[in-house]
Structure formats: C-alpha cells, structure tokens
Amino acid sequence: MTNPLLAEWDTPFQIAPFDTISDDDFTPALDQALAAHNAEIDAIAGNADAPTFDNVIGALEAAGRDLDKVLGVFFTVAGADSNPAREALQREFSPRLAAHFSEISANTALFARVAAVWDQRDSLDLTDEQARVLMLTHRGFVRAGAALTGAEAARMKEIKGRLAVLGTEFTQNLLADERDWHMDLAETDMAGLPDFVIRTAREAGKEKGADGAVITLSRSLIVPFLQFSTRRDLREIAYKAWAARGANGGKTDNRDIAAEILKLREERAKLLGYENFAAYKLETEMASDAASVRALLMQVWEPAKAQAEADAWVLAQMMQQDGVNGALQAWDWRFYSERRRQQLHDLDEAELKPYFQLDRMIEASFDCASRLFGLSFEPLDVPLYHPDCRAWNVTRGGEHIAVFIGDYFARGSKRSGAWCSAMRSQAKHPQVQTPVVINVCNFAKGDPALLSYDDARTLFHEFGHALHQMLSDVTYESVSGTSVARDFVELPSQLYEHWLDVPEVLGAFATHSETGQPMPQVLLDKVLAAATYDMGFQTVEYVASALVDLEFHDGAAPADPMARQAEILDELGMPPAIGMRHATPHFAHVFSGDGYSSGYYSYMWSEVMDADAFAAFEEAGGAFDETVAKALEENILSTGGSRDAAELYTAFRGRLPGVEALLKGRGLAA
C-alpha cells in the first residue's frame, strides 16, 4: 500500500490529504524520501557530463520533491497541532535531517561541480534569476562548510546535529511550560474583567478540563487579564508565570540549552573563519554587520526609552493615587496604561473589541488584497489537519493563484505566537506549482470570536507574509516567496498592517458583533488618534530583546546567558517596570532555530522600509493607488529573493529610506 504522504495527491489543487494521513505514516515516508533524495544527490555529484547550470544547479533545484511533501505536512502539524507522538517524531527527525543536509553540504564531489559552474558563470549566458540562484547556491555551500576538510568538517557536522536537537528541545520545553500552566479563577477573582475576557477565560477552562474560568499563558488571554484585572496579587502571579516560561527548573528549563546553543554557534562561525556568529550571520543580510544593526537600534532606543520613562512616572502617580505603595512593577504597567488610555483617548478596550470580529477582519484583509492586487477568495471544503482550520482558493481573473489556509485559534497543542508558512512554494521548475500557504495565529475562541486591535494587526501582518508567498512569480523555488534576506522578509508583512488603519477599511469592516452597525465615526477617530499610544513601552520591550540577541552573538558566547542578559539591560538603563518582549529562556525566535539569531532586529529594519513604502501610497493620493500597488507587486511581492533586497526596494521607491519615517510613525520623533 502506497504511503499517503508519498502518493500522488488527487485532491483539489494537490492539497495534502490530511484525512488519510496518520502519525504512523511519517517515519516510513521520511525514510523513503531521504533515500530518494540521496539517490538524486548522488546522481548529480556523479554525473560524468561536464558541469552545467542545468545538470548541477537546475538538478539540485528539482531534487527532493518527496522530501518537501513529507516535511511540509509534518512541520505544519508539529507546530500547530502537536501531540506526544509528533513531539517524539520531531526529536527523532531533527538530528536525522541535520545529518542529511550536512552530508549534502559536505559532499566534495557535489561541491566541486557547483564550484565549476560558479567559476564559469561569466560565460554561461544565464538569466538574472539563474545567476542569482547560482550565487546563492555556491554561497550556501561555502557557508555550510563545504570547503572544510578532515576534523573540521567532522566537527561542523557534529555541531549542526547538536544544534538541531537543542532547537527542538527548546521549542518543546517552551510549549510544555505554556501548555501545563493555568490559574483557576473563582467568581471573586474576576474583578474588573470585561465580559469578553470572562468568556475567553471560561472557554480556556473548557479546553483545560477545568470546572470554571482559567487564565493561561496564551497572549490573547493573559494580556487582557493584565490590562483589566483589579486583583494586583493575581496579576503578579500571572505575569511572573508568563515571564518564567522556560526558566522553571526541571526538565523543561531552557537556560542551559541557550548557553550551549550560543557556544556552538560561536564555534561554528569560527570554523568558517568569522570572528563571531553575528559576523557570519549578518554577512548575507541588508544590514551586513553588527555595527549597522546597533546604530539603527540605538537611534530608536533613546527616544523610546525617554518616552517610556515619562510614561512610567505618570503610571506610578496613578498607582499611588490608588493607595498602592512601592514602585511600579511589570504586572502594573498594562493595567494603569489601559486606564490612562481611557482617560486620554476616552477609548475603552471593552467598548472597542465587539467591532473587531475575526470573520470581519479576515474579510477586510481579503478585500484589501482584492483592491490592491485583484485577488479573489473562494472557500474550499477540504479535509485539513484540525477542525479549526479553513481554506480558500485564491484566484485572479479566474485563474488559480494559490491555496490559503487559516488556523486562527489558540489551543494547547499549538506553539505560541503567530506565523506564516508554505506547505508548497510557488515555482516553475521542474514543473509549474502554485503555493499552499498557511497563517497560524493564537486568538481566543468565542462565539463570535473577537479580536483586540493588536490581534487584528497580527492578522494583517501574517496575511502580508501570505501575500508575499501567493504573489510570488519566479522560476526556482529556492528564491520563491519569503526566501529573502531575513531583514527584508518582514517588509511585506509590516507594510500590510498599515491597511488596517485606513479609515475606509475600518469603516467598512469594523462592525459590531451584536448590532451589525459600523463603528461610529467618533470611536473610529479615537482608535486612529490612539494608534501610537504607549509606543514607548512597546518599542522598549522589543528593542531590548533585539539588542540582547545582537550582543549574545557579537562577541564571545556568554557562559551564563542570564547574567549577560542582566548586564546588557543594565547598560541600556532598561526601565525596571518593562520586561523584554522575549527573555532568553522563551526567546523562540532566536533559540528554536537559526532563523532570527542575530536577526531579531529585522522587524525594526523592515519597519524603516514599511513606513517609507506606505508613504509612497499616501504621496500618490491614497492607500489603494493602482500604480503604486502594481510597482509593489512587480518589485517586491512577486520577485522573492531573485534579486538583491536593496536593489528591489530601490526599484520600488527610487532610494533606500532613513529612520525618520519610522520614528514619526511610532510617535517618537522629536
């Protein structure tokens, strides 16, 4: 019987047949797919014909189709709907996959053929995209250690395997801490909580099998609890549990794992001839070096810190007026900030939230994509990996463009945060394939599901990533969609957030969950006026995390990352009532894999561009200007990594931006 993961998928648009796939299918499918990929690699490396672009680079691009299918399904369910069996498989697969790809990068015969094509590149009459793919392939082999020999090559393989194991352990420890903790709420514990928080807490209690309402470590529940609960003692308990994820001692503690990861990354970089890991990692990014990253972050840090300190003084006064003695604490900030927001902007989250229905915000994100890029979204009735998931057929002019899947609700089997991934990326080689793109979020379930304003921004953000995947129009999968420099990948997502703030979008889609009436103009004005409220706090908690990430990697790896984290924050003068957005033991961006290591700054780097990019629409006369939208698609959204990021942005805007638009957009400009 053919394994359903490896069979031809006779489904609409070749979506994975989730209803026929079981956890028992993954290991045999991976075994077969790895063997098939090894055979393809051996054939490319052992080809007796002279090396050419087609028989080396093109062949590498075409290899591993079965492996892509298996891993596309597995990592989707492992991240969004985990269970003990899948967690065990992930621990088993991670070192196997690391070893597999290490063997490929260490294949001397294969690298010799790649290098031969690279050496003759000027005489090959390649297209611009082919030249880019060749450069990236050759560079990837070199940076993976293909030029290493003997003991150094063996050690590189060991390091990669160990890092894969540690990254998986870090992720699973964090998921366990988030899944296992909750705080039961009696009726008397709900003082100050709006109805929507109480409803969400009761839904969370059902999911946990509790008798009543609970607070969990899901951001969509714990943040509103910290905003509204008048029980300072319970806010303290909840905040400390949230901040302690990955640092609770025992088998789920991530502190030693983080230390070992940092040490191994430093060793890896030095084996390749780099001074430190940041120098290695940033070489391929727009920023290019740690000094450029630090300069950007510090330009933002100083005004953000000044604003946060001024805000902290006001909040401390409010707390003292309540008769609470002592210093403002991290579990106080959101509570008094929410009260102050109501005073300054006459804006109450409880009044606002009924206007941000999940279904209406999905419609809004689709409508903006339709007006900007001509896309249409038709619901698809297909089996998916969880009942919460929904799917749409994405078309333009009647032509199928992509499949989009949305998985929006928090649950214990899903890791925290929000992300976009592609189970299949767009490509035209070795055959034409359209993308299957997934947005995963952690919104609170309800009937109807209501979002906070920040939740709605998250939805638009992740859909911006999805557009980058869905509108991709390149030949080779390795440069498709979001396969771009890390500090460029957040541009489309952060740019798309701006359309949530367009008055006509809110006016059309922010409708009340009970009355169906649009948001009153007076409330809409308040929402837009408060858009930069508390931006000192938000910027400080983010930039502190980005600077800690950078300093961890720009120099010798710290023996004690927690002590080094404390030193960095002390040197920065971190306001004591603000915690890092991601402290080291739960900094999954940095320690679950290499993706954002030395690169958490990239959200800020991209924001410099997104503020400037949206200004292009405003200068042209409106958020839906057809000419600017076309230029955005042609130069950024459709091109993936087929050209250099700075070149792409310059083609769109005519120049690279400065930090001024970012500071203005955050309300931090002098």
Side-chain angles (χ1 to χ4, degrees):
M1 182 175 177
T2 304
N3 190 306
L5 284 160
L6 299 174
E8 289 296 321
W9 291 346
D10 185 19
T11 56
F13 311 111
Q14 292 77 54
I15 300 172
F18 287 103
D19 56 337
T20 68
I21 296 169
S22 75
D23 290 344
D24 292 337
D25 294 321
F26 285 118
T27 296
L30 183 69
D31 291 342
Q32 288 182 245
L34 288 175
H37 194 211
N38 281 329
E40 291 170 326
I41 294 300
D42 289 344
I44 298 167
N47 190 340
D49 294 339
T52 66
F53 181 91
D54 287 338
N55 69 21
V56 179
I57 308 303
L60 283 171
E61 289 282 328
R65 300 289 112 181
D66 284 349
L67 188 58
D68 289 344
K69 288 175 66 175
V70 174
L71 297 183
V73 174
F74 177 72
F75 284 116
T76 294
V77 298
D81 192 28
S82 191
N83 59 33
R86 291 168 187 172
E87 290 179 10
L89 288 172
Q90 197 168 7
R91 291 191 295 271
E92 175 194 336
F93 289 177
S94 291
R96 289 188 65 190
L97 291 169
H100 173 73
F101 290 109
S102 290
E103 289 287 350
I104 293 173
S105 61
N107 187 317
T108 54
L110 178 62
F111 179 56
R113 290 181 67 80
V114 171
V117 180
W118 172 249
D119 289 341
Q120 57 180 314
R121 61 191 179 278
D122 292 336
S123 62
L124 295 180
D125 193 27
L126 302 176
T127 67
D128 289 344
E129 183 179 333
Q130 288 175 326
R132 175 79 173 168
V133 169
L134 171 58
M135 184 278 290
L136 292 172
T137 303
H138 180 262
R139 187 176 74 181
F141 269 88
V142 173
R143 287 171 56 81
L148 299 178
T149 59
E152 289 185 338
R155 180 57 182 156
M156 178 63 78
K157 182 179 178 180
E158 291 175 359
I159 289 171
K160 288 180 181 178
R162 182 60 179 158
L163 283 171
V165 170
L166 292 171
T168 298
E169 289 180 2
F170 190 98
T171 302
Q172 294 189 351
N173 288 346
L174 181 55
L175 176 62
D177 277 4
E178 291 173 343
R179 181 180 55 217
D180 295 345
W181 187 92
H182 69 269
M183 179 172 66
D184 293 306
L185 295 181
E187 289 299 317
T188 54
D189 296 333
M190 300 191 203
L193 299 183
D195 288 344
F196 76 85
V197 180
I198 294 173
R199 285 196 300 270
T200 302
R202 286 179 173 149
E203 286 289 336
K206 292 178 184 177
E207 202 250 342
K208 292 292 184 185
D211 291 335
V214 304
I215 297 302
T216 69
L217 297 181
S218 169
R219 178 176 284 270
S220 62
L221 182 51
I222 197 167
V223 167
F225 180 79
L226 293 171
Q227 283 178 297
F228 294 107
S229 175
T230 58
R231 290 284 303 275
R232 189 174 190 242
D233 57 332
L234 298 182
R235 295 201 313 265
E236 180 179 359
I237 292 170
Y239 180 84
K240 286 182 174 178
W242 195 30
R245 290 169 294 157
N248 287 302
K251 63 182 182 180
T252 64
D253 198 293
N254 277 333
R255 287 171 288 190
D256 288 344
I257 292 175
E260 187 177 354
I261 287 172
L262 292 172
K263 183 178 179 181
L264 290 172
R265 284 177 180 164
E266 180 188 14
E267 185 181 358
R268 176 183 176 185
K270 288 186 172 179
L271 280 172
L272 295 170
Y274 295 89
E275 183 179 357
N276 53 55
F277 187 80
Y280 161 75
K281 188 67 183 295
L282 294 172
E283 179 186 49
T284 61
E285 309 298 342
M286 289 184 72
S288 77
D289 57 53
S292 299
V293 173
R294 192 175 290 106
L296 168 70
L297 293 175
M298 292 308 297
Q299 283 185 75
V300 180
W301 172 260
E302 294 300 340
K305 178 186 169 188
Q307 183 62 59
E309 289 173 336
D311 291 340
W313 186 88
V314 174
L315 300 184
Q317 299 303 305
M318 295 173 67
M319 188 176 76
Q320 290 168 15
Q321 289 169 11
D322 276 354
V324 180
N325 296 319
L328 183 76
Q329 300 290 345
W331 49 89
D332 298 315
W333 190 292
R334 287 176 174 85
F335 177 76
Y336 285 100
S337 181
E338 176 61 26
R339 185 182 292 182
R340 185 184 182 207
R341 183 173 75 145
Q342 293 179 27
Q343 294 174 356
L344 291 178
H345 298 285
D346 190 23
L347 191 60
D348 184 350
E349 179 81 9
E351 177 190 10
L352 185 63
K353 195 151 188 171
Y355 290 99
F356 286 96
Q357 301 175 69
L358 172 61
D359 286 348
R360 294 293 280 151
M361 291 300 103
I362 294 171
E363 290 178 41
S365 67
F366 288 176
D367 183 72
C368 291
S370 177
R371 295 178 64 182
L372 288 164
F373 310 114
L375 301 181
S376 297
F377 300 82
E378 296 294 331
L380 272 176
D381 184 14
V382 292
L384 297 169
Y385 61 86
H386 192 278
D388 286 345
C389 296
R390 312 182 222 177
W392 291 266
N393 174 25
V394 186
T395 62
R396 179 155 58 182
E399 178 187 356
H400 170 70
I401 297 293
V403 170
F404 174 66
I405 299 170
D407 179 3
Y408 295 107
F409 296 124
R411 54 180 174 266
S413 62
K414 183 188 291 186
R415 64 181 171 89
S416 61
W419 63 93
C420 175
S421 61
M423 289 183 61
R424 182 176 67 229
S425 296
Q426 179 271 331
K428 301 173 186 175
H429 172 87
Q431 67 272 325
V432 173
Q433 62 186 39
T434 55
V436 177
V437 186
I438 305 177
N439 275 179
V440 183
C441 300
N442 271 282
F443 303 142
K445 187 177 280 191
D447 185 20
L450 302 178
L451 307 182
S452 68
Y453 191 51
D454 283 345
D455 287 340
R457 293 187 75 88
T458 296
L459 186 147
F460 268 71
H461 178 101
E462 298 306 332
F463 194 70
H465 281 310
L467 287 172
H468 202 180
Q469 295 276 17
M470 293 188 289
L471 292 172
S472 179
D473 186 20
V474 298
T475 299
Y476 299 99
E477 188 172 340
S478 65
V479 291
S480 175
T482 56
S483 298
V484 299
R486 179 62 62 181
D487 49 10
F488 193 66
V489 75
E490 298 298 336
L491 169 60
S493 55
Q494 293 180 184
L495 174 59
Y496 204 65
E497 292 179 31
H498 288 270
W499 273 272
L500 176 62
D501 293 335
V502 173
E504 63 188 279
V505 174
L506 286 174
F509 293 97
T511 56
H512 198 279
S513 60
E514 295 179 3
T515 67
Q517 294 298 307
M519 184 182 292
Q521 187 63 46
V522 63
L523 184 56
L524 177 59
D525 292 343
K526 291 176 186 178
V527 170
L528 297 176
T532 60
Y533 175 71
D534 213 19
M535 197 56 73
F537 169 87
Q538 294 179 41
T539 306
V540 161
E541 65 164 5
Y542 164 77
V543 174
S545 296
L547 284 166
V548 167
D549 166 44
L550 182 67
E551 299 302 336
F552 274 173
H553 296 98
D554 186 31
D560 183 346
M562 298 305 294
R564 180 65 184 128
Q565 172 184 292
E567 290 174 0
I568 296 165
L569 297 180
D570 184 60
E571 291 165 3
L572 289 170
M574 181 77 169
I578 302 178
M580 293 169 62
R581 183 170 299 178
H582 304 289
T584 298
H586 52 87
F587 207 162
H589 280 79
V590 170
F591 293 106
S592 289
D594 274 357
Y596 282 90
S597 55
S598 293
Y600 191 62
Y601 77 91
S602 59
Y603 290 94
M604 188 67 70
W605 191 274
S606 292
E607 190 176 342
V608 170
M609 291 181 285
D610 84 61
D612 180 68
F614 192 71
F617 284 90
E618 296 174 322
E619 292 163 10
F624 295 98
D625 184 86
E626 292 181 7
T627 301
V628 180
K630 183 179 180 182
L632 177 66
E633 180 179 352
E634 289 180 348
N635 293 297
I636 294 175
L637 296 178
S638 70
T639 51
S642 61
R643 290 157 61 195
D644 176 75
E647 179 186 337
L648 291 174
Y649 190 85
T650 303
F652 166 64
R653 195 69 167 105
R655 53 166 174 73
L656 292 174
V659 75
E660 296 78 14
L662 178 149
L663 293 174
K664 181 181 177 182
R666 285 186 169 242
L668 299 174

